[in-house]
Amino acid sequence: MNQKEVAELRKRFKPEKSAISRIYGCYVNSIGEVVSYLDESLGMMPQEEAEKYLNLLKKSLSGGLGKNLIDVVFSTEQVMEGEEHKLLTSLRSSALKDLETREAFYKKVIDCLDMGDINYLILLAHDAYDVPNRNPDGEAQEDASDTVFSYIICAVCPVKECKVELGYFPGENEFHSCAAGQVVSAPELGFLFPAFDNRAANLYNALFYTRKPDEIHQEFIDGVFHTEPPMSAAEQKEAFESALTDSLEESCSIEVIQTVHERLRERIEEHKDSKNPEPLSLTVGEVGSILRECGVAEARVDAFQEQCGQRFGEGAALSPANLIDSGKFEVKTEQATISVDPSCSYMVETRIIDGVKYLLIPAGEGVAVNGLPVTVRSAPETEEEHG
């Protein structure tokens, strides 16, 4: 799925736009026991309550592709015979109306999911989207459609205790303690099945959501989808950095890393400006070309590409946004940490003066220490200069 297709589905999650008629789910305590089941008509709820349910489901389609939203790919064998895929397909084909199938799904989630000591709510909904055709200009033709996208969406939401607070009681004109309760928080994880690829159902894919890109709940992916867990954004960044340091060795200079960071940052900015809905990716070979620009020896470049093949898989497409923090450029020593605007990373230089290694940054104007404006003198003043 691309960003435009995700955005198209997100617009569905309003009572007047979706075909979601019921909300299903179950409330699970911290030891994996079902406290209660949920089977409610959306149309019979107060509008405010219905909107809250839909907003929780909508949030499981939020965040960046490749970070919060991760493609789950099923093999042909799984689609034809896999137990996990069969269960998801049954949920979809029954529009979640089959109680036995729903309970089998809840059990699978509860058995595999590790939420620590937190209670949680599993939410499920089914929607049938009458996908409008688009004219040559890309505008939707609401009255013209030849595709219905039938899908299920799941959100797993932590349920947390509220603290006792002081509240104002208008009838008494006084403040009193308000009773503590339990509140459903934004989803920790969730998924869409099947994927909405090229504005149609793709039974070979699901779209998995994680609120924290560095915590993708691999146990859930393995239990519910039984597919190879994808690398999280944090794992991709760590693998990329390890490939650089292990292969470049003494060639891994600040100048090389500056250039790699700047080139990847430029690609991210250009992709953002282009408004291309497809996720940005680049090949290991393209990163290798950047290293060659920096004067890295061919043997080191080959070693880097081999390391990436081992860590990411041969021919893997890399996501620049997962390899660097494009909003930060930071240099650390044992004594100091220097943060620089990423667009000005080139200003950081290394120099050896009298045998001592230095990091140099032009001071320019507006220098402050702990928020206090200070001047930068060219040399210490002497008593004679004071006159």
Side-chain angles (χ1 to χ4, degrees):
M1 288 179 66
N2 62 38
Q3 204 68 55
K4 186 178 288 187
E5 289 161 343
V6 173
E8 184 174 351
L9 287 186
R10 279 175 54 83
K11 293 176 182 177
R12 301 274 303 155
F13 289 86
K14 294 180 181 178
E16 69 276 12
K17 287 194 173 183
S18 79
I20 296 174
S21 60
R22 300 191 76 81
I23 298 291
Y24 301 96
C26 68
Y27 178 34
V28 185
N29 65 20
S30 60
I31 59 173
E33 297 173 335
V34 175
V35 178
S36 63
Y37 290 97
L38 176 67
D39 180 354
E40 298 284 344
S41 167
L42 207 66
M44 298 296 290
M45 295 179 189
Q47 183 173 344
E48 182 180 356
E49 189 173 318
E51 288 177 351
K52 287 187 182 300
Y53 276 116
L54 291 176
N55 280 335
L56 288 171
L57 292 168
K58 179 181 178 180
K59 284 178 180 176
S60 63
L61 291 175
S62 59
L65 288 170
K67 278 185 175 286
N68 308 90
L69 297 171
I70 301 168
D71 277 326
V72 172
V73 182
F74 298 101
S75 67
T76 300
E77 183 181 356
Q78 283 182 295
V79 174
M80 298 300 293
E81 303 176 357
E83 175 189 334
E84 290 77 16
H85 194 278
K86 182 179 179 181
L87 177 57
L88 295 173
T89 302
S90 297
L91 289 169
R92 175 186 180 237
S93 60
S94 68
L96 298 176
K97 293 178 182 178
D98 187 90
L99 174 61
E100 185 177 339
T101 305
R102 291 201 311 271
E103 290 187 343
F105 174 76
Y106 298 148
K107 184 177 187 307
K108 184 173 285 290
V109 172
I110 293 167
D111 287 347
C112 71
L113 183 59
D114 180 9
M115 291 285 282
D117 58 355
I118 297 176
N119 299 351
Y120 58 92
L121 175 66
I122 303 171
L123 286 179
L124 276 175
H126 173 268
D127 186 23
Y129 176 30
D130 201 10
V131 183
N133 293 334
R134 294 194 182 276
N135 62 27
D137 295 327
E139 296 177 353
Q141 299 172 296
E142 300 296 339
D143 57 347
S145 171
D146 53 19
T147 302
V148 175
F149 175 53
S150 169
Y151 66 96
I152 59 172
I153 188 164
C154 172
V156 179
C157 308
V159 179
K160 299 179 180 178
E161 294 283 348
C162 289
K163 296 179 180 178
V164 176
E165 303 283 359
L166 280 176
Y168 179 66
F169 291 74
E172 305 173 20
N173 291 328
E174 293 177 350
F175 289 89
H176 298 290
S177 294
C178 294
Q182 296 183 327
V183 174
V184 180
S185 303
E188 189 71 19
L189 65 151
F191 68 89
L192 170 84
F193 175 81
F196 186 52
D197 287 339
N198 296 316
R199 307 184 71 234
N202 177 4
L203 294 174
Y204 285 80
N205 285 62
L207 189 67
F208 175 74
Y209 166 79
T210 177
R211 186 175 68 85
K212 301 175 183 176
D214 57 341
E215 297 179 18
I216 64 172
H217 285 279
Q218 292 187 355
E219 79 283 359
F220 181 93
I221 293 173
D222 186 53
V224 173
F225 305 120
H226 198 55
T227 60
E228 186 68 27
M231 294 176 71
S232 68
E235 288 171 332
Q236 291 176 50
K237 186 172 185 289
E238 182 180 352
F240 180 69
E241 291 172 348
S242 295
L244 282 171
T245 55
D246 291 352
S247 58
L248 268 57
E249 297 181 351
E250 71 277 359
S251 298
C252 191
S253 65
I254 189 170
E255 290 78 14
V256 169
I257 299 305
Q258 277 175 315
T259 303
V260 171
H261 190 279
E262 182 60 21
R263 292 288 188 275
L264 297 189
R265 193 185 69 82
E266 287 172 356
R267 291 285 294 271
I268 294 169
E269 292 300 317
E270 288 169 2
H271 183 265
K272 188 183 299 182
D273 292 341
S274 73
K275 301 190 184 303
N276 185 344
E278 296 297 331
L280 174 63
S281 65
L282 77 166
T283 65
V284 172
E286 288 176 285
V287 182
S289 296
I290 297 172
L291 297 177
R292 290 188 188 93
E293 288 178 27
C294 301
V296 175
E298 191 64 32
R300 296 293 185 200
V301 175
D302 290 344
F304 165 75
Q305 295 182 154
E306 184 179 344
Q307 291 271 352
C308 284
Q310 294 172 2
R311 288 170 165 81
F312 295 100
E314 293 297 332
L318 307 181
S319 171
N322 291 348
L323 305 182
I324 64 167
D325 185 344
S326 62
K328 181 175 74 172
F329 188 83
E330 186 177 88
V331 182
K332 281 187 177 183
T333 71
E334 291 183 357
Q335 296 79 22
T337 299
I338 303 169
S339 295
V340 182
D341 185 319
S343 63
C344 300
S345 63
Y346 64 90
M347 297 174 66
V348 181
E349 298 181 20
T350 56
R351 196 83 55 84
I352 297 178
I353 303 174
D354 296 332
V356 180
K357 298 176 183 178
Y358 286 91
L359 291 171
L360 302 180
I361 301 177
E365 301 297 327
V367 179
V369 176
N370 293 335
L372 182 67
V374 296
T375 58
V376 178
R377 297 181 301 200
S378 57
E381 296 181 359
T382 64
E383 293 182 5
E384 292 178 357
E385 287 176 315
H386 282 292

